Amino acid sequence: MLSNQKTQIRNMHSIRPRRLRLSPQVRAMVRETQLAPDDFIYPLFVAHGHGLKHEIASMPGVFQWSADNLAPEVESIARLGIPAVILFGLPESKDAIGLENFAPDGVIQQAIRAIKAAVPEMVVITDVCLCEYTDHGHCGLLNTGSDRPHPHLPEGYVLNDETLDVLAQVAVSHAEAGADLVAPSGMMDGMVAAIRAGLDAAGFEMTPILSYAIKYASGFYGPFREAAQGAPKFGDRKTHQMDPANAREALREAALDVAEGADMLMVKPALPYLDIIRQTRDQFPELPLAAYNVSGEYAMVKAAALNGWVDEERVVMELLTGIKRAGADLIITYHAKEAARWLQQ
Ligand code: PBG
């Protein structure tokens, strides 16, 4: 090659992205997305009993706790700089309505009080749904029996408007116990409006609603259903949760919840739906957006890491960064404590 040809090629390469990758310091200066412990919300499973700390087989490192054991756990979550927890409860017994869901001494109500007594500044978010409390494991009241309320709807159909009244009662009960935010996850039409009206009527007009606005009918909830014992006894959730194939419909769901008064939106699961997170962020820039990095996503990473097939810290930080880069302000994740620890190093 002639020397003037070499000079020409070098000139063509005067733009060199690698210049900004030369040192860790410069790489840090130009980093576009920063993760921090205060991006995270940590899920906690609470069960009845005393001294309980039971590891969930499909979710290594995640436990079911009894309320009396929560104080030290929540103190350590706070020390890691994680500002919020989201609670899921396992009731003593289940029935068709899920009565413990709104009982003043229900498992969640006890847990809220225990957490607030131990760490008053911890933001307590509660999941508002029926599936962990009903004996049939569905997210609402069922159309069932010979005298069923809607003879033209199928046997076992999850009733919408009848369920809304229960959801509003549950949200009020959580607020009375001291919850800071309520998060309806049942994908009933009108759930945000019903809960808003219920909270306002009970004097909780300042309690925000974080709506699971865009929740897909996903296989990635598998381990959660072991953790929270909320698997449906028959059928599935496809008549209320969204079809994974749909994106435009997600924007419709979000728009409805915004109109009904949702204060924050959520997309769930996170990793197969990064495009939905991005579109929701762009379409509704005025609302905080959360993404739920769900149990199956966690279990896959843990299983591979325990086998030595991936470097856990690297892949967890990469996927959490990806969720934030896609547009989530907040990430609900079972990795929160470990990720916060890695960020503090
Ligand atoms: C419903 C609820 C579910 C999850 C959160 N809230 C289960 C479902 O819809 O079947 C799943 C969370 C996870 O998989 O981590 N109460």
Side-chain angles (χ1 to χ4, degrees):
M1 200 184 284
L2 298 171
S3 77
N4 64 342
Q5 268 181 319
K6 274 190 194 156
T7 311
Q8 259 178 2
I9 288 167
R10 245 195 318 273
N11 287 343
M12 273 163 48
H13 288 259
S14 63
I15 297 173
R16 294 176 185 272
R18 291 188 60 189
R19 283 190 198 112
L20 296 180
R21 298 182 197 138
L22 197 58
S23 76
Q25 292 75 21
V26 173
R27 288 198 295 272
M29 284 174 70
V30 300
R31 188 160 297 135
E32 298 174 32
T33 307
Q34 308 276 357
L35 275 180
D38 64 4
D39 298 329
F40 303 144
I41 299 169
Y42 188 61
L44 286 174
F45 298 98
V46 197
H48 286 276
H50 295 283
L52 180 79
K53 181 185 179 186
H54 173 70
E55 190 164 26
I56 296 147
S58 53
M59 300 176 72
V62 178
F63 302 85
Q64 293 165 344
W65 301 90
S66 53
D68 63 341
N69 251 356
L70 280 173
E73 173 65 1
V74 174
E75 282 158 11
S76 89
I77 294 166
R79 268 196 305 276
L80 288 165
I82 299 167
V85 292
I86 184 164
L87 306 183
F88 300 95
L90 290 83
E92 191 90 73
S93 64
K94 305 191 186 212
D95 53 74
I97 300 163
L99 293 171
E100 194 184 316
N101 213 350
F102 47 92
D105 61 346
V107 68
I108 283 297
Q109 289 78 359
Q110 289 181 34
I112 297 167
R113 289 191 291 265
I115 294 169
K116 282 292 177 184
V119 185
E121 65 277 14
M122 179 61 65
V123 177
V124 175
I125 309 173
T126 56
D127 186 80
V128 176
C129 191
L130 270 57
C131 59
E132 291 126 49
Y133 292 85
T134 49
D135 48 12
H136 43 71
H138 281 287
C139 304
L141 304 181
L142 294 186
N143 192 40
T144 185
S146 52
D147 57 344
R148 57 196 207 221
H150 290 271
H152 54 287
L153 286 172
E155 168 72 26
Y157 185 77
V158 178
L159 295 169
N160 198 86
D161 296 10
E162 290 81 351
T163 300
L164 297 182
D165 298 335
V166 181
L167 292 176
Q169 277 192 67
V170 173
V172 169
S173 164
H174 290 173
E176 281 171 345
D180 296 290
L181 272 99
V182 294
S185 64
M187 289 295 282
M188 295 297 114
D189 293 337
M191 67 182 184
V192 173
I195 288 172
R196 185 72 274 154
L199 287 172
D200 291 357
F204 294 105
E205 58 282 312
M206 294 303 285
T207 301
I209 300 174
L210 162 58
S211 181
Y212 287 68
I214 303 169
K215 177 170 174 181
Y216 287 91
S218 171
F220 287 96
Y221 307 147
F224 176 93
R225 291 181 185 171
E226 178 202 341
Q229 290 166 16
K233 294 282 176 304
F234 62 89
D236 54 40
R237 307 216 198 284
K238 289 180 185 166
T239 69
H240 49 101
Q241 297 180 348
M242 278 187 57
D243 184 335
N246 291 359
R248 299 190 308 265
E249 187 189 354
L251 299 178
R252 187 179 193 220
E253 281 285 0
L256 277 169
D257 284 9
V258 173
E260 289 176 30
D263 299 281
M264 300 163 98
L265 299 174
M266 190 196 304
V267 173
K268 176 186 170 190
L271 298 176
Y273 302 97
L274 295 179
D275 58 328
I276 308 298
I277 295 172
R278 168 49 53 198
Q279 290 181 53
T280 308
R281 154 57 61 241
D282 290 345
Q283 193 90 2
F284 302 97
E286 67 277 23
L287 268 79
L289 179 62
Y292 199 143
N293 174 218
V294 300
S295 59
E297 299 174 310
Y298 175 85
M300 290 194 306
V301 170
K302 277 284 166 186
L306 288 169
N307 275 292
W309 296 336
V310 293
D311 175 334
E312 183 171 8
E313 178 175 345
R314 279 195 70 180
V315 299
V316 168
M317 295 318 256
E318 186 174 338
L319 65 86
L320 294 176
T321 301
I323 295 168
K324 191 164 181 196
R325 193 193 62 238
D329 302 298
L330 296 164
I331 306 172
I332 304 175
T333 179
Y334 305 96
H335 297 294
K337 290 175 65 183
E338 282 165 318
R341 230 171 260 129
W342 292 323
L343 285 165
Q344 282 182 351
Q345 278 166 18

